[in-house]
Amino acid sequence: MPDPIGYRRPDPATQPPYDLPTYGSTRPRHPKQPLVRVPHTLSEVTGPRMSPAWYAPHDDLSRHNGKEALGERIIVAGRVLDEDGRPVRGALVEVWQANAAGRYHHPADQHDAPLDPNFLGRGRVFTDEEGNYRFTTIRPGAYPWRNHANAWRPVHIHFSLFGAGLAQRLITQMYFPGDPLLAYDPIFQCTADEAARNRLIAQFDIAITQPEWALGYRFDIILRGREATPFEDGAGAH
Amino acid sequence: MTAATTSQTAGPYWHLIDFPEWADLLRPDGPNAGIEGGERIVLTGRITDGDGAPVTDAMVEIWQADPEGRYDGAFHGFGRCGTDANGMFRFVTLKPGPVPGRGNQTQAPHVVLTLFARGLLKQLVTRLYFEGEKLNETDPLLQSIEPARRGTLIARPTGTPGEWRLDIRLQGENETVFLDV
């Protein structure tokens, strides 16, 4: 059996460190030993095939049990591509977020802001043949956290992505343009590369915006590319 | 070429995408319903941090081959489990077979573990091997790790038939070997 084609290693400036002193929770949780680099085998270049048959899509977070959630309805759409610009087809995209008041539907969230019985804040969509995904939700609110004095998380939506291979697995956060809290947020500020950081900010998009209905935001996501082009699209990527 | 999107922490509220049944890969209404053969096993362990405290809000995912060592067969070798109040995770699955490695080598049976949590700005990846496997002695990855740390990747039987345990230490004494994939 020929060796599988691996995934390219990221430029360290574009990815966060494990140890980030400005983000307190990293202190006891970052490994102190260097990571062991693994030449990619089938175990890293393959990944789970996430079929909608087993993982039912849910693309409208703006209502629950037939009732409208409170807040500003928005549409978030974009493409999932690899570093060579090739669409990642059939990728599972999971999202979760706080409600319009900045509170998660989660028992650990004790922020003094109202819960909305019509907003759970979780969704699941798949990319199409061109790598497009799309969901409808409510614009989340900012919320305080105890990382430092007067710490507030900028408005964000969490994204979890499965590409073709385990090495492409990504969890990230999407931010909103013009948020004054971005400048103070150590999680957003975690990369040395400013351009990479700014690609976490969605763009308002009038073409996604629907008249009399909802503003649209575009958020494209890039997963790692292969070290060489496989002969057959998705070869070895099951 | 545009570099891959920056990773961000899953934070403390990732349970909104937790579906506890996913930890049982053999659930009767799941993607592996009706799969025949293989040895049913339980994989468990405790995750602790550099202060020795249990990590009670981690998301653990597994990815593994089927009992014949194939990733492209009918078996869906993916599971997700949140750690509990004691930092414990628990998966029910089938024991994977040996998997082809690079250069016509053979990899010992193993399960890839991926951890996400508050305080991890990107995932941590490691592997779970099984104590007593002859192939462990020639596994390319295990053999590339210094012997003193190799044991952090090797699960041991708990005494309950079919149950294996591997504790994970994020930092400090007996720190788990994490992999740069």
Side-chain angles (χ1 to χ4, degrees), chain B residues 112-124:
Chain B
V112 181
L113 298 176
T114 303
L115 315 182
F116 297 92
R118 171 179 63 85
L120 293 180
L121 285 159
K122 54 189 172 186
Q123 64 262 51
L124 284 171

Side-chain angles (χ1 to χ4, degrees), chain A residues 76 174-177 198-204 217-219:
Chain A
V76 179
M174 179 197 108
Y175 299 92
F176 286 78
N198 287 335
R199 283 195 285 112
L200 296 177
I201 305 172
Q203 300 298 310
F204 169 72
Y217 289 88
R218 167 166 289 279
F219 183 53

